[in-house]
Every structure is written in C-alpha cells, then in structure tokens.
Amino acid sequence: MDAITALTERVSVPKLREPGPSAEQWRVLLGAALRAADHGQLRPWRFLTVEGDARADLGKLYCESVLKDTPDLPETFQQKLINMPLRAPALLLVVACCQAHSKVPEVEQVVSAGAAAQNVVNAAFALGLGAMWRTGDMAYNTHVLKGLGLEEGEKLIGYVYLGTPAATKSLPPMPSVEEICQSWSGQ
Ligand SMILES: Cc1cc2nc3c(=O)[nH]c(=O)nc-3n(C[C@H](O)[C@H](O)[C@H](O)COP(=O)(O)O)c2cc1C
C-alpha cells in the first residue's frame, strides 16, 4: 500500500484476532514510531509490548487496581477488566517521558508521543494489520501505571491494540477539507 493511501484511508479496527504482529512487523511498527516529529530530538517516548500470557497479567492488574478503591466490585465487572487486554493478540503501550527543557515545553513532548502512536496505527494499516488506539481509566490509574513500571512524571499516551482484522470497517463520514481548513489572508 502506498503511503498516501495509508494516511487517507486508515481506519481503526476494534475486532482483532490472532496472529499479532510478526517480529519483522514489530520492527516496522516501532521504526515508524521512531520517526515521530520530535522537537530537540529529546526522544520523549518509550514503548512496552504486551503479548501472550502477559495480557492476562495486565487484566489482573486492572482488576486489582479497581478493587483497591471498590472492594465490593461485582464479579462480572472484575471479569470484564481481566478480559480487556485479551481483545487483541498484542498491545503496544506508548509512554511519554517528558523532561524539563528550556525550549521544548511538556505539551510538545506529549504531542510527540501522540505522533509516535499515530505513526504506529498508520504503519499497522499499511502492513495489513488492524490497530485500535485506546485509553480509558486504565491509562490514568496510578496503581496500573506503577505496576507497568512507569516512573514519576511519565504518562501513558495509550494502549495500541494490534492484530489481524476480524472484520472489515469502512471509512466513517468525514468533514470536507473546506470545513476544516480556511485560508487566512492577513489582518
Ligand atoms: C488518545 C486517544 C484515546 C482513545 N481512546 C479510545 C478508547 O478508549 N476507546 C475507543 O473506543 N476509542 C478510543 N479512541 C478512538 C479510536 O482510536 C478511533 O480513532 C476511533 O474509534 C475512530 O475510528 P477511526 O480511527 O477509524 O476514525 C482514542 C483515540 C485517541 C487519539
């Protein structure tokens, strides 16, 4: 698939099945992440892969985290949390590692991590893989972030679910380019 087609026709794929990315495909996905725009070349991101049995451990971490605040959480909700990471054969966690910098404010570093995540979903589409960028409470829960080994100040930008598309998805309705872009012709 050519690059422009991937960029203009990419869709997220919520229903994913085995197999997940091959070793070669992981290299391409992470290579794409590394090409995110990066002011000052701070490399304000890092990544964690979660595959196989580690997904179940992540689900247990989710459940444990919610039980800390809600000890009487009904069994069905517990199971839902445990099963969350099993929605795809592989997950890529995108972490923003911001540092104090005189010329590059934190927001630019977070945006760079977001660009890395977007490069991953674009590259996945170009490879014929399915991908879905998700966050939700489990991306912000401090117990989960600690369990994942995030350091103070690091932010989880998202869980990119990856696998083989289990169903095709068509492009959603989109605004016209005229709606989203106007020419500014001076004051
Ligand atoms: C930062 C971020 C977090 C997101 N979190 C979720 C999420 O938790 N659940 C969800 O269904 N979609 C989430 N999305 C949206 C999907 O990734 C996807 O973009 C959306 O379903 C639209 O589909 P499309 O990418 O095919 O247009 C998130 C997107 C971004 C950028």
Side-chain angles (χ1 to χ4, degrees), residues 29-109:
L29 296 172
L30 292 163
L34 283 172
R35 288 310 307 136
D38 171 15
H39 191 180
Q41 296 194 319
L42 299 181
R43 316 234 186 282
W45 13 254
R46 67 184 182 91
F47 308 90
L48 294 168
T49 60
V50 181
E51 297 176 275
D53 293 345
R55 292 171 307 152
D57 288 341
L58 180 59
K60 285 183 206 145
L61 177 63
Y62 288 170
C63 186
E64 193 182 284
S65 310
V66 177
L67 282 172
K68 266 170 80 77
D69 295 328
T70 318
D72 56 351
L73 188 73
E75 180 65 33
T76 47
F77 286 106
Q78 292 189 36
Q79 207 52 52
K80 203 173 163 202
L81 289 163
I82 290 168
N83 289 338
M84 264 185 186
L86 303 177
R87 289 180 290 190
L91 288 83
L92 182 70
L93 281 52
V94 181
V95 180
C97 321
C98 304
Q99 54 180 273
H101 192 280
S102 57
K103 293 204 173 85
V104 188
E106 182 179 275
V107 64
E108 293 190 10
Q109 299 178 48

